[in-house]
Amino acid sequence: MSIKSSKIMAMNAGSSSLKWQLYDMPEEVVIAKGIVERIGLPNSIFTVKYGNKEKFEKIANISTHELAVQMLLDELIGLHILSSYDEIKGVGHRVVAGGEYFKESVVVCDDVLSKIEELAALAPLHNPANAQGIRAFKKILPNITSVAVFDTAFHATMPEENYRYPLPNEYYEKYQARKYGAHGTSHYYVTQKASKILNRSLHDLKFITCHIGNGASVTAVRNGQSVDTSMGFTPLAGVMMGTRTGDIDPSLIPYLMEKTGIYSTQEMNNIFNKKSGLLGISGISSDMRDIIAARKEGKKEAILAFDMFANRVKKYIGQYFAVLNGADAIIFTAGIGENSAVVRSKILEEMDWFGIEIDESKNLPGVEGVISADSSKVKILVIPTDEELVIARDVERLRQALRTC
Ligand code: ADP
C-alpha cells in the first residue's frame, strides 16, 4: 500500500516575525519555506523560497499575524505551490514555554491555547507571539490538526535536584519557580542525529549539546534524555548570549536598581534580555560575525566579548562533564555552533586533560559531522539543527494517531 503524502506546515512565530516551512510528509521533503518580517511595522518583508532555488519577495504593510498567515496562504496558491488551502493537513507551532503543564507535543485545543498565554511570564518575549501565530492559523484554517511543540518538553526529564532552585519551597509550590530550560527541540534533534552519526544506541551515550546562536544553551544528555540544561526559569539564564546576560549574581538586580534609579522591573528585564551579552560588552553588535570582525581589527571590547562568550560555554561543558561523569561527544549546533570554527576552537582550547582534542584540519567553515582528532577520547560533532523537521514529525505523528480536541 502506498503512503499518501500530506502537506504539513511548521511555524515559528516571533513578536514581529513568522518563520515557516512547508513539508511533504512522511517523505520529509521541504516544498517551500520563508519568513515574514517586520509584522506590525511599515514595510513588512515577505519572503518565500521554493522550487529550484526560486525566491519570491514582497514588501507590504502587514499589521497582524493573522494578515501574515492570510498572505502566506494566498501566495502559496499564487505561486502554484498549493492548489488549495485544503492540501494543508496540519500545522505545528513552536512554543517556547510549556511550564509544568506540557511535557510533550499536544493538539491545540482552547484550554491549551489559554495555558500557553498564561505561561507568558516564563517566556515573555516568546509565548505571547507563539499564541498569536496559533490563533491566526486557527482562525483561517480551523479544521486542520494544530499542534504545539514546546521548547521546554525535552527537559521534562531533568531530576528535581537539577530543576529546583534553592529558594523557599513555597515559591516553587505556589509560583512554579523552577528551571524549565529551552531549545529542547534542537537539543533533542541533534541528540538523535548524533546517535545515527556515531552508529550507536542512545542508551549507551552521554552528550553535551551546545546550541549556540543568538540565544544559547548547553544541555547534559544521558540515554537520550535531558539531565540538566543551562537555561532556567526563562531563556535568560545560563551562558552569555547575543543580548542576554546568562547567569549573573541575583543581588546585582536590586543593587543596580538602586544605583541607576531604574525601578521598573520591566525596564530591568529589558536591560538583561536585550542590552547585555555580546552587545553589552562589545558596544558594537549582538551578532557574532561582527564581533569576530572587530576582534580581528584588534578592538579590545570585541576581544573581551568573544573571550567571555567562549569562557561561559566552556564552563558549562566542564559542569556537565562532572554531572555526566564524562561524555562521549560534545555537539555544536545553531548559528554560531554550526558556522564558527574560531568560536568552537576557543571554547575547547586547553581541554586536553578531559580527552578533548579538536582536529583543526576538520574544524573548517561549512563542516558537518566529526571534527575531533582520531585520538580524541571525546568526539566533537557539528550538526546543523532542524527544529522545523521535529515539529513536522510531531504533527504527522499526532495526526496519524487521530488525536483531536
Ligand atoms: P537565533 O537564536 O536567532 O535562531 P541563530 O541560530 O540563527 O540565532 O544564530 C545567530 C548567530 O549565529 C549570530 O550571532 C550570527 O552572527 C552567528 N553566525 C552565523 N553565521 C556565522 C559565522 N559564519 N560565523 C560566526 N557566527 C555566525
Side-chain angles (χ1 to χ4, degrees):
M1 193 176 70
S2 73
I3 304 168
K4 196 164 171 288
S5 76
S6 30
K7 296 196 172 22
I8 302 289
M9 183 70 96
M11 298 293 311
N12 182 356
S15 53
S16 65
S17 70
L18 207 65
K19 273 193 225 163
W20 58 272
Q21 289 205 23
L22 183 65
Y23 286 87
D24 251 335
M25 297 296 282
E27 296 86 349
E28 303 188 344
V29 173
V30 178
I31 312 165
K33 62 181 176 181
I35 181 164
V36 190
E37 294 164 279
R38 296 176 55 87
I39 298 172
L41 298 169
N43 300 326
S44 319
I45 309 163
F46 179 96
T47 321
V48 183
K49 288 183 183 163
Y50 64 107
N52 188 18
K53 297 201 172 151
E54 284 173 275
K55 189 171 170 183
F56 171 85
E57 194 172 293
K58 182 162 147 176
I59 308 289
N61 292 331
I62 308 172
S63 54
T64 63
H65 285 68
E66 193 182 320
L67 287 171
V69 172
Q70 189 65 62
M71 182 182 275
L72 162 60
L73 294 171
D74 289 346
E75 292 299 348
L76 287 175
I77 290 177
L79 295 168
H80 305 291
I81 296 165
L82 294 179
S83 52
S84 92
Y85 292 178
D86 298 340
E87 280 186 65
I88 301 179
K89 301 296 180 202
V91 56
H93 299 271
R94 173 194 184 209
V95 178
V96 169
E100 293 207 308
Y101 292 128
F102 303 110
K103 305 207 182 291
E104 58 187 7
S105 302
V106 290
V107 170
V108 185
C109 309
D110 290 345
D111 64 317
V112 170
L113 193 46
S114 335
K115 286 194 176 107
I116 291 171
E117 283 170 336
E118 204 183 291
L119 291 168
L122 308 190
L125 308 181
H126 299 100
N127 265 41
N130 303 151
Q132 271 185 305
I134 296 176
R135 273 194 198 288
F137 251 91
K138 271 196 166 280
K139 193 154 177 201
I140 301 167
L141 296 176
N143 297 322
I144 66 171
T145 308
S146 170
V147 170
V149 178
F150 299 92
D151 260 21
T152 46
F154 181 59
H155 303 301
T157 48
M158 284 188 292
E160 190 165 7
E161 71 202 58
N162 288 345
Y163 72 67
R164 287 287 299 274
Y165 291 117
L167 285 166
N169 262 326
E170 59 181 305
Y171 297 143
Y172 171 60
E173 280 151 15
K174 278 197 200 151
Y175 310 123
Q176 294 78 49
R178 52 157 283 183
K179 178 189 276 198
Y180 294 100
H183 291 147
T185 312
S186 176
H187 290 291
Y188 166 79
Y189 175 82
V190 297
T191 295
Q192 299 284 322
K193 188 86 184 182
S195 132
K196 290 206 178 95
I197 293 173
L198 299 176
N199 199 18
R200 286 176 59 188
S201 156
L202 275 175
H203 299 290
D204 301 333
L205 290 165
K206 294 186 280 192
F207 292 140
I208 299 171
T209 54
C210 307
H211 175 111
I212 47 177
N214 210 0
S217 65
V218 182
T219 297
V221 180
R222 183 193 289 129
N223 292 336
Q225 296 187 325
S226 170
V227 175
D228 201 357
T229 193
S230 61
M231 282 181 168
F233 177 65
T234 71
L236 179 59
V239 299
M240 173 176 167
M241 303 176 222
T243 60
R244 292 176 225 161
T245 54
D247 297 338
I248 56 165
D249 180 342
S251 63
L252 276 169
I253 301 167
Y255 172 78
L256 290 176
M257 283 176 127
E258 274 172 23
K259 286 285 175 198
T260 59
I262 299 171
Y263 287 104
S264 149
T265 48
Q266 203 180 345
E267 207 177 328
M268 265 291 147
N269 223 0
N270 204 40
I271 293 167
F272 292 140
N273 272 291
K274 297 200 170 160
K275 297 187 177 167
S276 302
L278 292 174
L279 175 65
I281 295 294
S282 70
I284 296 170
S285 171
S286 62
D287 193 299
M288 185 53 96
R289 285 165 291 205
D290 299 336
I291 302 296
I292 291 170
R295 173 180 178 257
K296 252 194 189 152
E297 288 165 14
K299 297 228 167 74
K300 105 174 177 304
E301 295 81 2
I303 295 170
L304 178 63
F306 181 90
D307 289 349
M308 283 176 68
F309 183 89
N311 159 283
R312 296 311 192 267
V313 178
K314 182 195 276 288
K315 284 200 278 211
Y316 265 97
I317 292 175
Q319 270 192 45
Y320 291 160
F321 256 97
V323 167
L324 295 172
N325 187 19
D328 296 288
I330 295 171
I331 304 169
F332 287 103
T333 194
I336 301 171
E338 288 167 27
N339 296 302
S340 180
V342 60
V343 175
R344 293 190 297 251
S345 283
K346 185 72 187 170
I347 292 171
L348 298 181
E349 168 181 274
E350 292 180 11
M351 291 187 83
D352 49 309
W353 188 85
F354 288 86
I356 300 173
E357 282 176 70
I358 200 162
D359 179 344
E360 291 299 349
S361 71
K362 294 182 192 154
N363 183 31
L364 302 169
V367 70
E368 285 180 25
V370 179
I371 58 163
S372 42
D374 293 342
S375 53
S376 184
K377 194 165 146 200
V378 180
K379 294 257 186 299
I380 308 163
L381 302 177
V382 176
I383 304 181
T385 195
D386 198 342
E387 290 152 291
E388 290 78 12
L389 179 59
V390 177
I391 294 173
R393 283 178 181 164
D394 272 5
V395 177
E396 193 54 7
R397 184 171 54 79
L398 292 176
R399 212 173 69 81
Q400 295 299 340
L402 303 176
R403 295 278 179 83
T404 52
C405 288

